[in-house]
Amino acid sequence: MIDVDVIGIRVKVPHNQPIVVLKEHDGNRYLPIWIGIVEASAIGLAMQGVDSPRPMTHDLFVQTLATLNGVITGVDIVDLQEGTFFAELFLVSPDGQTHVIDARPSDAIALAVRLDIPVRVSETVMDDASTTIEERDEEEQIEEFKAFLDQVNPEDFQD
């Protein structure tokens, strides 16, 4: 598994489709994952440290886990099938057992950002769906990545 950082949310024009961008922690590969608008908002607000006046769904889940003494220890993006990414949450119950829970990557990432827990991507997913941006001036990197996002479509990740 490859440790990644959640870089942020971008919106793919002209369809206004949100993308969460993950970057290899010790490398220069970037992984874009198409997500829903609600999940993009949840991730973006959490990254900015914005608290909503009422708990959002991901906040409710975090509060419920805390009340039940459960702990999420990590998030793995484990598979890519026909353009759909798959993730797993690692939940430790009060008795110390670890449970692996199937999740959408967007929900898993929204929880990871709130809980400040690691996000990892399988080597296969990273090899199949990431793009590499050479180490250069940060502004050049951003422009190159924007150009990549403007050209890529969800269908590009189908087998």
Side-chain angles (χ1 to χ4, degrees), residues 61 88 94 103-104 114 122-123 129 153:
F61 188 73
E88 296 175 341
R104 296 184 309 172
R114 280 166 173 71
S122 77
E123 192 73 53
N153 294 302

Side-chain angles (χ1 to χ4, degrees), residues 30-47:
Y30 291 79
L31 180 66
I33 300 176
W34 276 261
I35 61 175
I37 293 170
V38 173
E39 293 79 10
S41 175
I43 293 168
L45 290 173
M47 289 184 76

Side-chain angles (χ1 to χ4, degrees), residues 9-20 33-37 39-40 149 152-154:
I9 304 293
R10 295 270 303 146
V11 177
K12 173 96 163 93
V13 292
H15 305 292
N16 292 327
Q17 179 67 43
I19 301 169
V20 62
I33 300 176
W34 276 261
I35 61 175
I37 293 170
E39 293 79 10
L149 290 178
V152 71
N153 294 302

Side-chain angles (χ1 to χ4, degrees), residues 10-126:
R10 295 270 303 146
V11 177
K12 173 96 163 93
V13 292
H15 305 292
N16 292 327
Q17 179 67 43
I19 301 169
V20 62
V21 180
L22 307 177
K23 181 188 180 292
E24 186 175 27
H25 187 70
D26 293 323
N28 58 354
R29 292 186 291 180
Y30 291 79
L31 180 66
I33 300 176
W34 276 261
I35 61 175
I37 293 170
V38 173
E39 293 79 10
S41 175
I43 293 168
L45 290 173
M47 289 184 76
Q48 294 173 14
V50 175
D51 290 324
S52 62
R54 299 288 302 141
M56 294 177 67
T57 304
H58 300 97
D59 301 318
L60 176 63
F61 188 73
V62 167
Q63 290 174 6
T64 302
L65 277 177
T67 300
L68 298 174
N69 295 317
V71 177
I72 298 176
T73 59
V75 167
D76 287 357
I77 312 297
V78 295
D79 201 4
L80 174 62
Q81 298 177 17
E82 298 178 13
T84 301
F85 290 89
F86 293 80
E88 296 175 341
L89 295 175
F90 294 88
L91 171 67
V92 178
S93 57
D95 63 3
Q97 288 189 351
T98 298
H99 306 272
V100 179
I101 301 171
D102 181 37
R104 296 184 309 172
S106 56
D107 291 326
I109 293 167
L111 291 169
V113 170
R114 280 166 173 71
L115 296 168
D116 194 27
I117 57 174
V119 178
R120 300 178 304 180
V121 176
S122 77
E123 192 73 53
T124 303
V125 170
M126 196 61 107

